[in-house]
Short mmCIF file of all heavy atoms in Angstrom, two decimals:
data_model
loop_
_atom_site.label_atom_id
_atom_site.label_comp_id
_atom_site.label_asym_id
_atom_site.label_seq_id
_atom_site.Cartn_x
_atom_site.Cartn_y
_atom_site.Cartn_z
N ASP Y 742 -8.62 16.90 -8.74
CA ASP Y 742 -9.20 16.15 -7.64
C ASP Y 742 -8.90 14.68 -7.82
O ASP Y 742 -9.12 14.11 -8.90
CB ASP Y 742 -10.71 16.36 -7.58
CG ASP Y 742 -11.10 17.70 -7.00
OD1 ASP Y 742 -10.23 18.36 -6.39
OD2 ASP Y 742 -12.26 18.10 -7.15
N VAL Y 743 -8.41 14.04 -6.74
CA VAL Y 743 -8.03 12.63 -6.82
C VAL Y 743 -8.53 11.88 -5.59
O VAL Y 743 -8.72 12.46 -4.52
CB VAL Y 743 -6.50 12.44 -6.94
CG1 VAL Y 743 -5.96 13.09 -8.21
CG2 VAL Y 743 -5.78 13.00 -5.71
N LEU Y 744 -8.71 10.58 -5.78
CA LEU Y 744 -8.99 9.65 -4.70
C LEU Y 744 -7.89 8.60 -4.67
O LEU Y 744 -7.42 8.16 -5.72
CB LEU Y 744 -10.34 8.96 -4.89
CG LEU Y 744 -11.58 9.85 -5.04
CD1 LEU Y 744 -12.82 8.99 -5.28
CD2 LEU Y 744 -11.77 10.73 -3.81
N ILE Y 745 -7.49 8.21 -3.49
CA ILE Y 745 -6.54 7.11 -3.34
C ILE Y 745 -7.29 5.79 -3.47
O ILE Y 745 -8.26 5.55 -2.72
CB ILE Y 745 -5.83 7.16 -1.99
CG1 ILE Y 745 -4.96 8.43 -1.87
CG2 ILE Y 745 -4.96 5.92 -1.78
CD1 ILE Y 745 -4.37 8.64 -0.49
N GLU Y 746 -6.86 4.95 -4.39
CA GLU Y 746 -7.46 3.62 -4.50
C GLU Y 746 -6.82 2.70 -3.47
O GLU Y 746 -5.59 2.57 -3.42
CB GLU Y 746 -7.29 3.04 -5.89
CG GLU Y 746 -7.94 1.67 -6.03
CD GLU Y 746 -7.94 1.13 -7.45
OE1 GLU Y 746 -7.37 1.79 -8.34
OE2 GLU Y 746 -8.53 0.04 -7.67
N VAL Y 747 -7.65 2.07 -2.67
CA VAL Y 747 -7.19 1.17 -1.61
C VAL Y 747 -7.61 -0.25 -1.94
O VAL Y 747 -8.78 -0.51 -2.22
CB VAL Y 747 -7.78 1.58 -0.24
CG1 VAL Y 747 -7.30 0.63 0.85
CG2 VAL Y 747 -7.39 3.02 0.10
N ASN Y 748 -6.65 -1.16 -1.93
CA ASN Y 748 -6.96 -2.58 -2.13
C ASN Y 748 -7.38 -3.14 -0.78
O ASN Y 748 -6.62 -3.79 -0.07
CB ASN Y 748 -5.73 -3.31 -2.68
CG ASN Y 748 -6.04 -4.75 -3.09
OD1 ASN Y 748 -7.11 -5.29 -2.75
ND2 ASN Y 748 -5.13 -5.38 -3.78
N VAL Y 749 -8.62 -2.85 -0.43
CA VAL Y 749 -9.07 -3.04 0.94
C VAL Y 749 -9.12 -4.50 1.35
O VAL Y 749 -8.98 -4.84 2.54
CB VAL Y 749 -10.45 -2.37 1.13
CG1 VAL Y 749 -11.53 -3.07 0.31
CG2 VAL Y 749 -10.83 -2.28 2.60
N ALA Y 750 -9.30 -5.42 0.40
CA ALA Y 750 -9.36 -6.84 0.73
C ALA Y 750 -8.06 -7.57 0.38
O ALA Y 750 -8.02 -8.80 0.43
CB ALA Y 750 -10.53 -7.50 -0.01
N ALA Y 751 -7.02 -6.81 0.02
CA ALA Y 751 -5.71 -7.39 -0.31
C ALA Y 751 -5.82 -8.47 -1.39
O ALA Y 751 -5.22 -9.54 -1.29
CB ALA Y 751 -5.04 -7.94 0.94
N GLU Y 752 -6.60 -8.18 -2.43
CA GLU Y 752 -6.77 -9.14 -3.52
C GLU Y 752 -5.60 -9.01 -4.50
O GLU Y 752 -5.30 -7.91 -4.99
CB GLU Y 752 -8.09 -8.89 -4.24
CG GLU Y 752 -9.30 -9.15 -3.36
CD GLU Y 752 -10.60 -8.89 -4.09
OE1 GLU Y 752 -11.05 -7.74 -4.10
OE2 GLU Y 752 -11.17 -9.85 -4.66
N PRO Y 753 -4.94 -10.10 -4.82
CA PRO Y 753 -3.73 -10.03 -5.65
C PRO Y 753 -3.99 -9.57 -7.08
O PRO Y 753 -3.08 -9.11 -7.76
CB PRO Y 753 -3.18 -11.46 -5.62
CG PRO Y 753 -4.36 -12.32 -5.25
CD PRO Y 753 -5.21 -11.47 -4.36
N ASN Y 754 -5.22 -9.70 -7.55
CA ASN Y 754 -5.54 -9.32 -8.93
C ASN Y 754 -6.07 -7.90 -9.05
O ASN Y 754 -6.55 -7.50 -10.12
CB ASN Y 754 -6.55 -10.30 -9.53
CG ASN Y 754 -7.87 -10.30 -8.76
OD1 ASN Y 754 -7.91 -10.02 -7.57
ND2 ASN Y 754 -8.96 -10.60 -9.45
N LYS Y 755 -6.01 -7.11 -7.97
CA LYS Y 755 -6.54 -5.76 -8.01
C LYS Y 755 -5.46 -4.73 -7.65
O LYS Y 755 -4.49 -5.04 -6.95
CB LYS Y 755 -7.73 -5.61 -7.05
CG LYS Y 755 -8.98 -6.31 -7.56
CD LYS Y 755 -10.16 -6.09 -6.63
CE LYS Y 755 -11.42 -6.77 -7.19
NZ LYS Y 755 -12.55 -6.70 -6.25
N TYR Y 756 -5.66 -3.52 -8.17
CA TYR Y 756 -4.74 -2.43 -7.89
C TYR Y 756 -5.13 -1.75 -6.59
O TYR Y 756 -6.17 -2.01 -6.01
CB TYR Y 756 -4.79 -1.42 -9.04
CG TYR Y 756 -4.32 -1.98 -10.36
CD1 TYR Y 756 -5.24 -2.38 -11.34
CD2 TYR Y 756 -2.97 -2.10 -10.65
CE1 TYR Y 756 -4.82 -2.89 -12.55
CE2 TYR Y 756 -2.53 -2.61 -11.86
CZ TYR Y 756 -3.45 -3.00 -12.81
OH TYR Y 756 -3.03 -3.50 -14.01
N GLY Y 757 -4.27 -0.86 -6.14
CA GLY Y 757 -4.55 -0.09 -4.95
C GLY Y 757 -3.46 -0.21 -3.91
O GLY Y 757 -2.74 -1.20 -3.85
#
Side-chain angles (χ1 to χ4, degrees):
D742 283 345
V743 298
L744 303 178
I745 296 173
E746 181 173 4
V747 179
N748 187 347
V749 67
E752 295 180 274
N754 62 331
K755 287 183 178 174
Y756 296 101

